[in-house]
Amino acid sequence: MPLLHYLDQGQGRPLVILHGLFGTLDNWQTLARRWATEAELRVVSVDLRNHGRSFQSPEHSYALMAQDVLALFDHLQLGPDTTLMGHSMGGKVAMRLALDHPERLARLIVLDIAPRFSDMAHQTDILAGLHAVDLAHISSRQEADAAMAQHIPQVGVRQFLLKNLYRREDNSFAWRINLKTLAASMAAVGEETSAAQPFLKPALFVRGGKSNYITAEDKLYGIPALFPNSQVETVVDAGHWLHAEKPEEVFQLVRAFVQQ
């Protein structure tokens, strides 16, 4: 398999960042730079398969994505002092790697996702909006936005998705995401994280106060069952994209946890 596309900056204890579904490492740039400079960490931001500038594949599963990240760990010679952090889908990749290869990590950070099964019905409108963009005939980002708006009323969500749209050398538009594979893999993206053995090292789960991705039941049962040495922190007044909505709070929580 080809290597994942990544950005490596700073020096110190390693922090590896995995974005969520339809995201890219670019979503994390501002915070990654701050952790590298202000927290004096070595920050490796990653584009997962079928996203950003990483390779595209007809296969998309947590087992494969965790293997992709592990291959990057080997390539970068990341030691067992590494912290792995993931948001949403990236959080499930991080959980999978931690549970399968606990010896490769010092600690785990998961942002706004629980190990349980996620019903992906809420992605139906997003997929409809992405498919509504006629790449062969649009001539501007505004036209793409207008096409998506018929299915996705939230401006912020459309702006987030439009970060995946780019112009080719011939001036035509294309998606960086592998839309065909991702649309076919929604059930796999929602699947439950399970394991024969729990991850015994420190784990930090951060939930958005206005998000329902981590419930009270997850906090009491689901998370501690797999991650007994975990804590759950809430970022008040933040939704699912808590790092975009409340960057300062997320910056401080992660810095404090990594530097423990």
Side-chain angles (χ1 to χ4, degrees):
M1 265 298 168
L3 205 60
L4 294 172
H5 174 251
Y6 66 94
L7 181 66
D8 189 354
Q9 55 189 329
Q11 289 176 330
R13 199 179 279 179
L15 170 67
V16 177
I17 305 176
L18 309 178
H19 61 76
L21 181 64
F22 305 127
T24 75
L25 66 79
D26 293 344
N27 306 145
W28 284 92
Q29 262 314 80
T30 308
L31 277 168
R33 202 175 297 123
R34 286 191 63 193
W35 283 314
T37 54
E38 296 172 44
E40 298 180 339
L41 299 173
R42 178 186 180 185
V43 184
V44 180
S45 322
V46 180
D47 278 339
L48 294 166
R49 66 164 57 201
N50 294 316
H51 289 77
R53 290 174 172 79
S54 280
F55 63 88
Q56 300 205 345
S57 163
E59 295 180 293
H60 196 81
S61 71
Y62 287 117
L64 288 169
M65 286 189 279
Q67 286 299 320
D68 295 340
V69 175
L70 205 60
L72 186 63
F73 271 50
D74 291 341
H75 174 75
L76 295 172
Q77 298 181 326
L78 295 175
D81 59 339
T82 300
T83 301
L84 181 59
M85 176 170 77
H87 172 244
S88 201
M89 179 188 78
K92 282 197 164 176
V93 178
M95 286 189 254
R96 181 76 274 142
L97 193 150
L99 290 161
D100 291 348
H101 301 279
E103 75 286 351
R104 301 301 297 265
L105 300 180
R107 59 188 71 71
L108 172 72
I109 303 174
V110 176
L111 299 181
D112 213 54
I113 196 78
R116 72 178 149 80
F117 167 78
S118 307
D119 175 15
M120 300 303 283
H122 60 286
Q123 298 292 345
T124 306
D125 291 345
I126 285 184
L127 288 169
L130 289 165
H131 281 121
V133 178
D134 185 350
L135 294 170
H137 293 103
I138 58 164
S139 56
S140 69
R141 301 181 81 80
Q142 287 74 15
E143 286 177 26
D145 184 57
M148 288 167 80
Q150 296 167 41
H151 302 275
I152 306 168
Q154 309 93 325
V155 177
V157 175
R158 295 201 308 273
Q159 286 174 337
F160 166 75
L161 294 167
L162 283 166
K163 289 191 171 124
N164 290 294
L165 193 67
Y166 75 104
R167 273 192 196 271
R168 293 185 172 133
E169 285 183 14
D170 66 0
N171 236 16
S172 67
F173 280 99
W175 292 117
R176 289 208 188 278
I177 44 171
N178 183 346
L179 184 54
K180 183 182 176 186
T181 292
L182 294 177
S185 304
M186 280 298 131
V189 173
E191 83 175 16
E192 180 185 358
T193 303
S194 58
Q197 298 291 326
F199 178 76
L200 301 175
K201 292 176 180 177
L204 171 67
F205 284 72
V206 185
R207 59 182 287 275
K210 295 195 288 192
S211 169
N212 59 2
Y213 278 72
I214 294 180
T215 63
E217 198 172 323
D218 294 325
K219 212 169 156 176
L220 277 174
Y221 306 109
I223 291 169
L226 286 174
F227 305 96
N229 189 11
S230 62
Q231 61 196 85
V232 180
E233 300 286 349
T234 300
V235 176
V236 182
D237 287 338
H240 184 54
W241 281 284
L242 61 176
H243 52 293
E245 294 171 42
K246 297 282 181 181
E248 186 58 37
E249 287 85 340
V250 172
F251 172 79
Q252 298 294 355
L253 277 169
V254 171
R255 173 160 77 172
F257 183 69
V258 173
Q259 292 179 340
Q260 273 185 87

